[in-house]
Amino acid sequence: MSSDFYTAFILPYAGIIIKLCRAYTNTQEDFEDYYQEVCLQIWKSRNNFRKESSWSTWVYRLSLNVCLTLLKKHKRSKEHFASDYLPEIAVEESQAFDNEALNQLYQAIRQLSEIDRGVILLYLEEKSYQEIADITGTNANNIGVRIQRIKLRLRKLLDGKIN
Amino acid sequence: MEKSIEDIWKTGFLDSKALVAPRVNDLYTRKSEHIVEKFKRMFHFNLTAIAIGGILGFAGLLLMQLPLTAFVMATVLAVVYIVNKRVLNGLENVDKSQSCYAYLQAFDSWMHEQIALNARMAKIYYPAIFLGTVLGIWFSPHGPFLYGWLAGAPGNGWVINGIPGVLMIPILFMAALLWYFGDRLYRMELNAFYGRVLNKLDELLADMDKLRKDTMT
């Protein structure tokens, strides 16, 4: 991957990728792996971008798909040794950002289902319902209800932690 | 007052340090290590299976009163085991301190060498196992069953070293076929067992090659 491509087409959208990767990982090491894999996949798939959507929407979709794929792979390889990873999660997941409230929010987001994580991140990034539906492959008619349900769940998870 | 989720999100990301991208480097190092380790584990598992299978097979064939077959099978598997154990030890000599691209290339050439070696061996051990099985049965206490079965066959009077020519011709023909197609049979077996890892290795090398070329331009 040329540094020009990275600087011009990935770096301006690094925020999107970071936010997504953080929601699907528990440790700094995993986060960096996911981030790198997403960048690599963007570079590898760049010729598949058909300009049917904006570059940022395409980057979102691809990042989400990469995260979901990696998460599945991770689950398969770790499921027999889940207990080995618990202390690592507990230590690192609260240290990703300087902002404590944001860390708590991420901790709550990580407890959602895989698709719900993507949906709420897109909502928080102020994507339209149609875009959220397109990116996550869900039905646009139900997105509003789904978001309300997710927000309620997050509120419950955060309740008592953030004022 | 409780902050809304939207507020937490917005204020949390106001700090530009929250979104500092990690450095993208050594993209393939972990992937390379992972694929080589995976292959080593599979190779090791396969060798252990050959050793255990060889011992159990030897005992089983002796119990079935097929000592010649047992001897041939055990010899073939022992040779395959020893040669491949040495080949696997050779993998440890591949320099891990080099770049992951060079490391994977070294691994790839090691892989091609071991495949070529095993393909050459397969041309010998497939016919050897076949001949060992057929001749083992012929010269075992089960032999008379075959004598009786061949008694009515035309030309059964033609005997070479105690074996009827009518049996010898198809046996030699089959052994020749196994010799001729031995390497292809081995490669089919290889693909069934290691196919996914080998494809992944090719894919990884192709990606890295492309990545390097793109970086240079």
Side-chain angles (χ1 to χ4, degrees):
Chain A
M1 181 178 2
S2 69
S3 57
D4 286 351
F5 179 82
Y6 182 73
T7 312
F9 295 101
I10 297 182
L11 211 51
Y13 305 93
I16 294 171
I17 305 169
I18 292 170
K19 287 171 186 173
L20 263 172
C21 292
R22 284 275 181 217
Y24 289 95
T25 56
N26 294 308
T27 67
Q28 182 64 21
E29 196 188 357
D30 281 351
F31 162 70
E32 286 176 14
D33 273 359
Y34 276 49
Y35 181 84
Q36 297 209 6
E37 188 66 33
V38 167
C39 293
L40 184 70
Q41 291 305 325
I42 292 172
W43 171 75
K44 276 172 77 175
S45 315
R46 64 195 187 281
N47 295 330
N48 297 337
F49 176 59
R50 302 268 175 258
K51 294 182 182 169
E52 287 158 0
S53 61
S54 66
W55 175 256
S56 73
T57 303
W58 186 78
V59 167
Y60 246 120
R61 188 182 299 131
L62 198 136
S63 306
L64 186 64
N65 288 338
V66 172
C67 286
L68 292 173
T69 309
L70 290 175
L71 197 68
K72 267 191 197 118
K73 269 190 197 169
H74 243 107
K75 269 187 184 170
R76 271 205 301 270
S77 62
K78 286 185 178 176
E79 61 189 1
H80 300 300
F81 308 100
S83 59
D84 296 346
Y85 291 86
L86 289 176
E88 195 181 28
I89 292 167
V91 172
E92 294 201 31
E93 69 181 4
S94 58
Q95 297 171 351
F97 304 104
D98 291 336
N99 187 303
E100 187 49 34
L102 187 61
N103 282 327
Q104 298 282 6
L105 177 58
Y106 256 99
Q107 209 168 335
I109 288 173
R110 285 190 200 101
Q111 293 180 54
L112 299 172
S113 73
E114 290 161 16
I115 294 294
D116 281 355
R117 282 185 235 183
V119 169
I120 198 67
L121 289 181
L122 292 166
Y123 163 76
L124 291 169
E125 285 296 298
E126 298 175 344
K127 294 280 175 192
S128 71
Y129 286 3
Q130 190 55 54
E131 272 180 296
I132 297 173
D134 286 347
I135 293 170
T136 57
T138 48
N139 189 340
N141 298 330
N142 303 330
I143 286 290
V145 180
R146 192 166 187 162
I147 288 169
Q148 288 313 314
R149 194 171 43 78
I150 298 170
K151 279 174 71 180
L152 207 66
R153 173 103 203 276
L154 285 176
R155 199 65 265 173
K156 277 185 188 167
L157 289 165
L158 291 170
D159 223 16
K161 288 183 180 171
I162 303 164
N163 292 315
Chain B
M1 204 184 101
E2 265 190 355
K3 264 180 158 179
S4 72
I5 289 161
E6 291 86 344
D7 282 343
I8 297 170
W9 188 259
K10 271 182 196 153
T11 50
F13 287 114
L14 280 179
D15 179 7
S16 60
K17 276 190 280 182
L19 292 176
V20 175
R23 277 191 59 187
V24 178
N25 59 354
D26 256 355
L27 226 47
Y28 283 103
T29 306
R30 270 184 217 149
K31 277 190 175 183
S32 315
E33 285 166 4
H34 184 250
I35 198 165
V36 174
E37 284 311 311
K38 189 173 181 181
F39 179 81
K40 269 193 207 169
R41 275 201 306 275
M42 289 173 82
F43 201 90
H44 201 264
F45 172 82
N46 210 5
L47 279 184
T48 310
I50 287 174
I52 294 171
I55 294 165
L56 291 178
F58 183 71
L61 288 166
L62 283 182
L63 281 173
M64 289 163 72
Q65 296 177 304
L66 295 168
L68 181 63
T69 310
F71 174 75
V72 172
M73 199 80 88
T75 308
V76 165
L77 291 181
V79 169
V80 170
Y81 179 85
I82 292 165
V83 169
N84 279 288
K85 184 80 183 148
R86 281 190 177 183
V87 167
L88 183 62
N89 291 343
L91 184 58
E92 299 301 331
N93 299 331
V94 174
D95 184 8
K96 291 187 186 74
S97 62
Q98 51 195 335
S99 74
C100 63
Y101 180 69
Y103 177 55
L104 265 196
Q105 271 195 324
F107 174 69
D108 190 52
S109 58
W110 172 88
M111 180 79 91
H112 280 104
E113 275 170 32
Q114 73 94 2
I115 290 173
L117 177 68
N118 274 296
R120 281 199 303 274
M121 287 204 306
K123 279 176 113 49
I124 299 166
Y125 65 66
Y126 279 123
I129 288 173
F130 173 73
L131 287 173
T133 306
V134 177
L135 297 179
I137 294 171
W138 183 260
F139 290 114
S140 76
H142 309 290
F145 166 75
L146 283 179
Y147 308 159
W149 185 60
L150 287 169
N156 66 339
W158 176 38
V159 174
I160 311 156
N161 286 336
I163 304 168
V166 71
L167 181 65
M168 191 69 122
I169 290 167
I171 288 173
L172 289 178
F173 179 69
M174 189 64 193
L177 277 182
L178 285 169
W179 169 81
Y180 188 75
F181 290 112
D183 53 345
R184 268 166 268 195
L185 280 172
Y186 165 73
R187 281 173 210 277
M188 276 166 65
E189 214 179 277
L190 183 84
N191 273 332
F193 200 77
Y194 298 110
R196 278 184 65 181
V197 183
L198 294 174
N199 288 341
K200 214 158 192 178
L201 178 66
D202 286 345
E203 214 175 273
L204 210 57
L205 274 169
D207 274 358
M208 289 169 83
D209 220 23
K210 210 173 159 198
L211 200 65
R212 282 162 60 87
K213 277 177 194 155
D214 202 35
T215 311
M216 283 173 201
T217 52

